[in-house]
């Protein structure tokens, strides 16, 4: 039995805390919102972010980072990407020496284009090889015990194996991977493609369009990954194709849902104002477009999603512009993965 600190009590943090608690770890959770902490302490339920799911009574909940992190051997950072640096900066001095630090956040910092593991390495110089956890995992399905598989990556194979050992259960199968960049990029970028898949659904296009977006979306995600130094095989794995299929196909996906509403003609501001949970893909679209430009990689779907979200382009026009691009071979650019 080990001590684990889960930093973030949204849907995913709550589901991971439940999983770790049921595995027998002593778990403390940090909540940004005092009202959520109180609910979890008193009723064992997070009615805001994971309604109807009971967490084990032994899980402790705090709004103080120092309390949460004391004695932790595993630290899971699972706050939305826009708050990641701020929260982990405040947490850094309380992270115990030698703890395994694991990011479960999917996103890219818009101002710096940094991934969560890069931010962690910057804030925790004594802990240079943080791990990242990413794959096809809806919080609710994990919390309800559906068999699930996920990837954990770290530059240090020992850290990845330790993290795997901490988190793996008979319902939650964790695979190690050494490609931290690929796992994080795939987990972030798939949210942009999910917006596109939702937009197509909102326009009442059906299975052909979704399959085309998933496949060509994966091609452009992989193209960027390769240009940045990631491995193509990671994009064909759990964090890539796995999560992409999940997010583009299910009504549980917030990013897809935002896309559906955009496709039906709602404005982004009104959609976001009606949601309390984060749809990471909206911010990630800005970061992805910038990364594509920096690395001189063509990402036509990302480009069109950016036009729709931030430049007022109509989804119909964006679809037409995607379809009217100059005809191309399916595989081009010198590698089979493009
Ligand atoms: N929900 C899932 O199924 C799932 C699965 C895998 C990964 N993720 C990733 O996990 C991360 C967290 O997502 P989630 O779904 O748990 O979030 P959520 O939308 O369910 O909840 C948002 C959380 O962020 C907190 N928050 C809001 N503003 C904050 C701030 N300024 N500082 C600190 N905390 C703040 C809220 O209190 C809440 O706990 C995201 O990067 C997401 O992509 C989510």
């Amino acid at each position: 039995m080990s001590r684990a600190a889960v930093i973030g009590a949204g849907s995913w943090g709550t589901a991971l805390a439940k999983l770790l608690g049921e595995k027998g770890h002593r778990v403390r959770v940090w909540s940004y919102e005092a009202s959520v902490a109180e609910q979890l302490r008193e009723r064992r339920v997070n009615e805001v972010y994971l309604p109807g799911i009971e967490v084990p009574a032994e899980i402790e909940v705090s709004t103080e980072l120092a309390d949460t992190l004391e004695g932790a051997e595993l630290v899971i950072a699972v706050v939305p990407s826009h708050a990641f640096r701020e929260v982990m900066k405040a947490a850094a001095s309380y992270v115990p020496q030698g703890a395994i630090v694991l990011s479960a956040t999917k996103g890219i910092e818009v101002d710096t284009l940094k991934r969560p593991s890069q931010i962690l390495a910057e804030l925790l110089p004594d802990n240079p090889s943080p791990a990242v956890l990413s794959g096809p995992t809806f919080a609710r399905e994990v919390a309800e015990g559906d068999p699930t598989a996920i990837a954990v990556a770290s530059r240090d194979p020992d850290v990845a194996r330790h993290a795997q050992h901490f988190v793996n259960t008979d319902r939650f199968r964790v695979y190690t991977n050494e490609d931290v960049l690929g796992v994080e990029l795939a987990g972030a970028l798939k949210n942009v493609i999910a917006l596109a898949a939702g937009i197509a659904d909102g326009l009442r296009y059906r299975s052909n369009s979704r399959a085309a977006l998933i496949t060509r979306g994966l091609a452009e995600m992989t193209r960027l990954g390769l240009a940045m130094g990631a491995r193509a095989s990671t994009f064909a794995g759990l964090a890539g194709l796995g999560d992409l299929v999940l997010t583009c196909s299910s009504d549980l996906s917030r990013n897809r849902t935002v896309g559906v509403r955009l496709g039906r003609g709602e404005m982004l501001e009104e959609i976001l104002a009606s949601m309390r949970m984060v749809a990471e893909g909206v911010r990630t679209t800005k970061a992805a477009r910038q990364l594509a430009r920096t690395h001189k990689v063509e990402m036509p779907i990302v480009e069109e999603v950016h036009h729709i979200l931030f430049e007022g382009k109509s989804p119909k026009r964006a679809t037409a512009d995607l379809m009217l691009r100059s005809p191309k071979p399916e595989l081009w650019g010198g590698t089979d993965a493009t």
Side-chain angles (χ1 to χ4, degrees):
M1 183 160 90
S2 304
R3 188 173 279 291
V6 177
I7 309 299
S11 320
W12 193 214
T14 306
L16 287 171
K18 177 174 186 282
L19 179 135
L20 293 169
E22 287 173 350
K23 188 172 162 139
H25 295 308
R26 285 172 296 162
V27 182
R28 288 194 182 135
V29 182
W30 174 83
S31 171
Y32 174 70
E33 287 163 275
S35 58
V36 169
E38 199 179 302
Q39 271 181 14
L40 273 169
R41 257 195 310 265
E42 286 170 13
R43 290 194 269 138
R44 317 309 308 165
V45 175
N46 184 340
E47 283 301 348
V48 180
Y49 296 106
L50 199 60
I53 300 283
E54 205 165 310
V55 302
E58 298 75 29
I59 290 179
E60 297 170 42
V61 190
S62 174
T63 52
E64 298 297 329
L65 289 163
D67 292 347
T68 310
L69 286 158
E70 200 190 342
E73 291 142 272
L74 172 71
V75 175
I76 302 190
V78 57
V79 289
S81 58
H82 69 272
F84 193 88
R85 181 181 291 276
E86 191 190 330
V87 171
M88 292 317 292
K89 191 172 174 190
S93 61
Y94 305 116
V95 172
Q97 196 82 25
I100 299 283
V101 181
L102 176 63
S103 158
T105 294
K106 293 174 180 169
I108 298 166
E109 194 171 51
V110 178
D111 296 342
T112 64
L113 302 182
K114 288 193 171 153
R115 296 169 282 113
S117 71
Q118 293 177 298
I119 299 172
L120 286 175
E122 214 177 289
L123 296 171
L124 298 165
D126 293 342
N127 202 317
S129 305
V132 300
L133 186 71
S134 193
T137 59
F138 285 133
R140 172 160 299 277
E141 295 184 6
V142 170
E144 292 179 353
D146 288 19
T148 297
I150 194 163
V152 67
S154 167
R155 274 194 325 194
D156 180 342
D158 281 342
V159 171
R161 272 194 296 275
H162 266 103
Q164 176 186 43
H165 188 69
F166 256 115
V167 184
N168 192 74
T169 76
D170 61 353
R171 294 298 182 98
F172 193 74
R173 186 165 170 77
V174 183
Y175 290 83
T176 55
N177 185 321
E178 287 175 20
D179 182 13
V180 180
L181 168 63
V183 167
E184 269 182 315
L185 262 187
L189 295 173
K190 59 91 195 181
N191 283 329
V192 184
I193 308 303
L195 284 165
I199 291 167
D201 283 356
L203 288 170
R204 315 245 180 254
Y205 300 133
R206 294 169 294 170
S207 313
N208 294 359
S209 310
R210 182 185 299 168
L213 281 168
I214 290 175
T215 321
R216 294 312 302 164
L218 186 63
E220 66 181 65
M221 287 165 56
T222 309
R223 200 150 58 218
L224 178 64
L226 286 174
M228 291 176 68
R231 293 186 193 156
S233 51
T234 301
F235 288 84
L238 291 163
L241 181 61
D243 207 358
L244 189 61
V245 169
L246 179 89
T247 323
C248 289
S249 317
S250 169
D251 289 340
L252 281 182
S253 164
R254 302 162 191 174
N255 292 289
R256 186 180 158 278
T257 303
V258 169
V260 170
R261 293 174 65 179
L262 284 166
R264 289 189 183 148
E266 281 186 64
M267 302 304 293
L268 180 64
E269 295 69 33
E270 71 181 281
I271 300 170
L272 296 182
S274 71
M275 293 174 68
R276 187 141 172 205
M277 296 180 185
V278 290
E280 292 276 24
V282 175
R283 284 189 187 85
T284 303
T285 302
K286 287 190 181 169
R289 187 171 84 144
Q290 198 45 50
L291 282 174
R293 291 186 171 188
T294 305
H295 294 276
K296 301 193 173 20
V297 167
E298 258 192 272
M299 299 191 79
I301 302 172
V302 166
E303 198 65 41
E304 291 302 337
V305 172
H306 193 280
H307 289 323
I308 295 170
L309 292 179
F310 305 115
E311 296 158 48
K313 187 167 182 176
S314 87
K316 273 221 155 98
R317 184 70 248 157
T319 308
D321 286 349
L322 268 180
M323 296 304 288
L324 289 167
R325 294 171 69 240
S326 64
K328 296 194 187 325
E330 185 175 18
L331 308 178
W332 58 280
T335 150
D336 277 3
T338 57

